């Protein structure tokens, strides 16, 4: 894999806009950009003190613009005043349950926010590279797996539809306006800094540290493609770098994945094993409007970008568990047991 971040000079002194910088991926991406010497501008809607970006004080090393991605004039001003060269568009409402309860606000952020960002970039001639975050959810249910980038985008439920639409809008701006935009479709991110405790990885680790049974919302048999967050940040930077010099990448989408099929219960059991816990999960079987079986082929990223993940699921979980032990103040040797 090509070196990224602090390992080469591409990012040094480059002006980079990150939307959604206080999110899980945004926090790790900003960290790697800072290490690479970039001048980072973050568009931040809400102040999130528990965000990894704030907690690590990296937010003090970037320029912060307060506002919403639905405000196109603000985005245009930001791109112009800070002479932005590269844009990573990560801002989104990413929680499936919230999308089911509040579809309109999810559509507004994820769809309108994307066309506003791209329209602002179209009016900003200095922008040379735009990476838009789509998702494996954009594919919806498919008869054949793994997902490949040539498959139709056919989301049916609110979150999935919002990502399908944003993805297609990004393709439109590349095809119709030759905008230098490429699209990422990643599996389920996990890693330190994810404080949405309803998600399986942070929720399970916190439960074990507290000596409580971990909770599984679904029946536990949903199959997902779990992708470590530091690999995600590095993949985004690699694509952003390549896109700046290769017009052939415009409008292309890339799956990034470890290409593993893992059920929710298998993942929970692996975390319990690593944490030396005898607790057993409580299976609620309450998941609604979710795709049962998902996993991605990363062949295009391997062949076109020469990309490889740097972390296996094993090593990614080790780093993740260590992060939460430190964050929650749990000693590394702590091993909870319990009945269940």
């Amino acid at each position: 894999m090509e070196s990224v971040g602090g390992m080469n000079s591409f990012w040094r002194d480059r002006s980079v806009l990150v939307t959604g910088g206080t999110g899980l991926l945004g926090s790790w991406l900003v960290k790697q950009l800072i290490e690479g010497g970039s001048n980072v501008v973050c568009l931040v809607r809400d102040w999130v003190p528990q965000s990894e970006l704030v907690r690590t004080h990296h937010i003090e090393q970037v320029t912060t613009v307060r506002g919403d991605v639905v405000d196109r004039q603000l985005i245009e001003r930001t791109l112009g005043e800070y002479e932005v060269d590269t844009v990573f568009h990560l801002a989104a409402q990413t929680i499936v349950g919230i999308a089911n309860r509040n579809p309109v606000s999810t559509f507004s952020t994820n769809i309108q926010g994307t066309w506003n960002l791209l329209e602002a970039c179209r009016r900003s001639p200095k922008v040379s590279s735009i990476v838009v975050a789509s998702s494996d959810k954009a594919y919806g249910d498919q008869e054949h797996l793994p997902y490949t980038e040539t498959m139709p985008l056919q989301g049916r439920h609110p979150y999935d539809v919002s990502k399908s639409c944003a993805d297609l809008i990004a393709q439109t701006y590349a095809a119709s306006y030759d905008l230098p935009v490429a699209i990422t479709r990643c599996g389920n991110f996990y890693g330190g800094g994810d404080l949405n405790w309803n998600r399986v990885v942070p929720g399970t680790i916190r439960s074990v540290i507290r000596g409580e049974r971990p909770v599984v919302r679904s029946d536990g048999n949903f199959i997902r493609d779990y992708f470590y967050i530091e690999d995600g940040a590095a993949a985004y930077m690699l694509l952003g770098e390549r896109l700046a010099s290769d017009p052939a990448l415009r409008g292309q989408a890339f799956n990034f994945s470890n290409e593993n099929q893992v059920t929710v219960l298998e993942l929970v059991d692996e975390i319990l094993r690593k944490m030396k816990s005898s607790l057993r999960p409580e299976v609620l079987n309450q998941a609604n409007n979710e795709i049962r079986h998902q996993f991605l082929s990363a062949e295009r990223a391997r062949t076109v970008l020469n990309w490889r993940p740097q972390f296996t699921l094993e090593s990614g979980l080790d780093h993740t568990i260590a992060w939460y032990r430190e964050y929650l103040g749990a000693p590394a040797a702590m091993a909870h047991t319990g009945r269940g």
Side-chain angles (χ1 to χ4, degrees):
M1 175 177 173
E2 265 192 18
S3 58
V4 295
M7 300 302 289
N8 69 26
S9 61
F10 176 84
W11 296 101
R12 188 182 306 143
D13 301 326
R14 192 168 292 269
S15 183
V16 181
L17 172 65
V18 179
T19 71
T22 56
L24 173 61
L25 176 61
S27 295
W28 286 96
L29 177 60
V30 169
K31 175 180 182 289
Q32 291 193 15
L33 287 166
I34 290 170
E35 290 172 353
S38 296
N39 299 317
V40 182
V41 181
C42 287
L43 179 66
V44 176
R45 186 188 65 180
D46 300 330
W47 181 256
V48 185
Q50 67 271 32
S51 164
E52 182 72 353
L53 185 69
V54 177
R55 196 183 74 91
T56 58
H57 302 288
H58 287 130
I59 199 165
E60 297 167 13
Q61 298 175 256
V62 306
T63 298
T64 303
V65 175
R66 297 299 297 273
D68 199 306
V69 288
V70 299
D71 186 344
R72 193 177 76 226
Q73 288 184 328
L74 175 68
I75 299 171
E76 283 191 36
R77 176 186 73 79
T78 301
L79 294 172
E81 289 189 6
Y82 296 103
E83 298 184 297
V84 170
D85 172 89
T86 305
V87 177
F88 292 102
H89 178 47
L90 314 180
Q93 195 298 102
T94 61
I95 310 302
V96 172
I98 292 174
N100 289 335
R101 293 190 300 272
N102 304 102
V104 173
S105 64
T106 299
F107 294 154
S108 176
T109 297
N110 295 7
I111 303 173
Q112 184 183 358
T114 299
W115 84 54
N116 277 331
L117 182 282
L118 293 172
E119 181 64 15
C121 289
R122 186 169 77 92
R123 297 164 179 262
S124 304
K126 284 191 68 68
V127 174
S128 68
S129 180
I130 309 152
V131 179
V132 171
S134 183
S135 166
D136 58 353
K137 309 299 180 293
Y139 289 111
D141 270 314
Q142 299 280 346
E143 185 176 348
H144 302 290
L145 292 172
Y147 295 137
T148 64
E149 293 87 347
T150 58
M151 287 180 170
L153 304 182
Q154 53 187 35
R156 291 292 179 268
H157 305 303
Y159 178 73
D160 310 340
V161 165
S162 78
K163 301 309 283 187
S164 297
C165 289
D167 195 312
L168 287 166
I169 288 167
Q171 294 179 51
T172 292
Y173 271 83
S176 299
Y177 306 110
D178 200 30
L179 202 67
V181 56
I183 300 144
T184 63
R185 300 172 187 158
C186 300
N188 286 29
F189 284 121
Y190 71 95
D194 185 0
L195 302 183
N196 178 3
W197 304 108
N198 290 325
R199 286 197 178 117
V200 63
V201 172
T204 299
I205 295 171
R206 186 177 71 167
S207 293
V208 172
I209 288 173
R210 290 178 170 180
E212 302 167 353
R213 291 179 66 188
V215 174
V216 174
R217 288 185 305 108
S218 68
D219 62 7
N221 295 315
F222 283 50
I223 294 172
R224 290 291 180 266
D225 200 325
Y226 294 97
F227 190 43
Y228 182 57
I229 197 64
E230 291 188 68
D231 267 334
Y236 272 69
M237 290 177 70
L238 175 63
L239 182 55
E241 178 178 344
R242 287 294 192 82
L243 182 60
S245 60
D246 186 353
L249 298 182
R250 294 182 180 190
Q252 286 203 41
F254 290 90
N255 294 338
F256 293 103
S257 164
N258 285 79
E259 301 179 291
N260 292 334
Q261 301 182 67
V262 182
T263 70
V264 173
L265 279 175
E266 287 171 342
L267 183 67
V268 170
D269 286 344
E270 181 65 12
I271 294 170
L272 292 168
R273 184 187 68 79
K274 284 180 172 295
M275 297 184 75
K276 299 180 171 58
S277 173
S278 60
L279 291 161
R280 304 313 306 156
E282 179 182 359
V283 179
L284 300 181
N285 196 16
Q286 294 176 350
N288 295 311
N289 295 345
E290 295 191 38
I291 301 163
R292 290 201 65 88
H293 191 174
Q294 297 186 289
F295 81 106
L296 294 156
S297 165
E299 182 179 356
R300 178 182 287 183
R302 287 197 309 272
T303 56
V304 176
L305 303 176
N306 194 28
W307 174 81
R308 298 289 186 279
Q310 298 169 330
F311 295 84
T312 63
L313 182 63
E314 284 264 329
S315 61
L317 284 175
D318 287 339
H319 282 268
T320 302
I321 291 167
W323 187 95
Y324 284 102
R325 286 197 190 280
E326 179 183 0
Y327 178 79
L328 296 170
M334 174 183 279
H336 281 294
T337 60
R339 300 181 183 276

